[in-house]
Amino acid sequence: MTTAAGPAGTTGRAGAPASGSARAVVVDRPGEHRIVSGPQPLPGPGEVRIAVHAAGICASDRELYDGTRHPDFVRYPVTPGHEWAGTVDAVGEGVDPALTGRKTVAEGFRACLSCERCREGATNLCASGYDETGFTQPGAFADRLVLPTRLLHLLPDRADLRAAALLEPAAVAAAAVLAGAPRPGDRVAVVGGGTLGLLAVQLLAASSPAALLTVEPRSARAEQALSLGSDRACAPEETGKEAGGYDVVLETAGADGSAQDACLLARRGGRVVLTGMFDPGALGVDPLHLVLNQLTVGSVFGASSAAWSFAVRAFTGGLLDPAPLITHEFPLPSFGEAMAAVGGPEGADAGKVLLRP
């Protein structure tokens, strides 16, 4: 591919690419990106090509761009974009041509499917090494994306692809819900009202909890949690009176004290699932509190194939609607502006930000 006309991070035009060509964002190194254009990529044996409809930007993409993502989990230069939805527009050798035209999303982890972890079903923990769309493999901040057919989760023709672009974080939220195993009538809490937290609220509301609390300091996010199924919302500093009151607590914020807050909310014998990505040295949990209260504490890294299937079923069945979380949409050439909306001060009130090729 060749760099498009114009300065780095721009294209010479804002419209769609010429027929037979495709554009992509390339981050060469932290803080440096360009828009490149060239021939559309061709799917190889067992692969499909996707016409990307929308791709979400999350905090991990910002980390990739800023250079703060752990070096074991990124490979420069790279086209980011691991949250996306689109339509199959070409198939490679050995792939059913009937897939052409189908709406779809796909798993990001390129699991080997043969190691012990994969054969147990934990494809997100593949022992062959980390490999993921948008971090070590070309991602969806592009007009076209090529990936193995086996990763696809097909959607019905009626599916809203704009909303479906959030099915990757929904799969992570689904993994947390599956790990927490809420039962009808349980008292459930979610610590964090960001994208993961609000998606988890919707999934948990469908489990018929006796109570569903969202802990979130931003009033607009707290109000949105209430509109999406939470019974109550409160700020972190107000959780003292809620301590020990919840059967299942999902931590989704990754903030300095949110793991500790989650454990304090759990009742004796309760279950806590840590989902947020914490900074090194974040305030931990008290092991004496865990032992005295016999808490079961688990964690989630990404999403397995099973969690993806759960999220897609919830979405197609009408139990999960990610669309209300979308607050900003930018065309592909405005990648720099879109990243600023995610990570800069001007993006403080941003929900989910989409790139639209």
Side-chain angles (χ1 to χ4, degrees), residues 14 329-335 338 354-357:
E329 300 182 56
F330 295 89
L332 189 67
S334 298
F335 169 76
L354 297 183
L355 279 180
R356 299 291 299 272

Side-chain angles (χ1 to χ4, degrees), residues 27-150:
V27 178
D28 290 305
R29 57 187 59 84
E32 295 185 18
H33 77 276
R34 54 198 166 97
I35 308 294
V36 301
S37 63
Q40 294 188 13
L42 297 176
E47 294 181 331
V48 296
R49 185 177 69 203
I50 306 295
V52 179
H53 181 84
I57 302 178
C58 84
S60 58
D61 296 309
R62 183 74 208 195
E63 292 170 359
L64 180 155
Y65 190 67
D66 290 343
T68 58
R69 187 169 175 84
H70 192 286
D72 289 347
F73 295 90
V74 64
R75 186 183 304 140
Y76 300 100
V78 64
T79 294
H82 61 287
E83 304 178 5
W84 60 269
T87 304
V88 177
D89 80 338
V91 300
E93 180 183 351
V95 179
D96 186 355
L99 286 177
T100 305
R102 290 296 305 272
K103 293 181 176 181
T104 192
V105 291
E107 299 172 31
F109 289 127
R110 308 293 183 94
C112 73
L113 303 184
S114 59
C115 71
E116 185 176 0
R117 294 284 82 80
C118 284
R119 292 176 69 86
E120 291 172 346
T123 51
N124 56 314
L125 302 178
C126 178
S128 295
Y130 172 78
D131 197 17
E132 185 176 6
T133 299
F135 295 107
T136 61
Q137 298 287 340
F141 293 171
D143 294 308
R144 297 292 186 273
L145 170 66
V146 171
L147 73 169
T149 307
R150 62 182 174 81

Side-chain angles (χ1 to χ4, degrees), residues 284-313:
V285 298
D286 180 358
L288 180 61
H289 177 79
L290 301 186
V291 172
L292 292 179
N293 291 278
Q294 196 174 310
L295 300 183
T296 299
V297 179
S299 60
V300 165
F301 174 68
S304 67
S305 297
W308 269 94
S309 294
F310 178 31
V312 171
R313 287 197 307 271

Side-chain angles (χ1 to χ4, degrees), residues 218-234:
R218 295 164 293 185
S219 59
R221 297 292 183 93
E223 290 172 6
Q224 190 169 28
L226 296 174
S227 72
L228 294 174
S230 189
D231 299 319
R232 295 177 50 244
C234 71

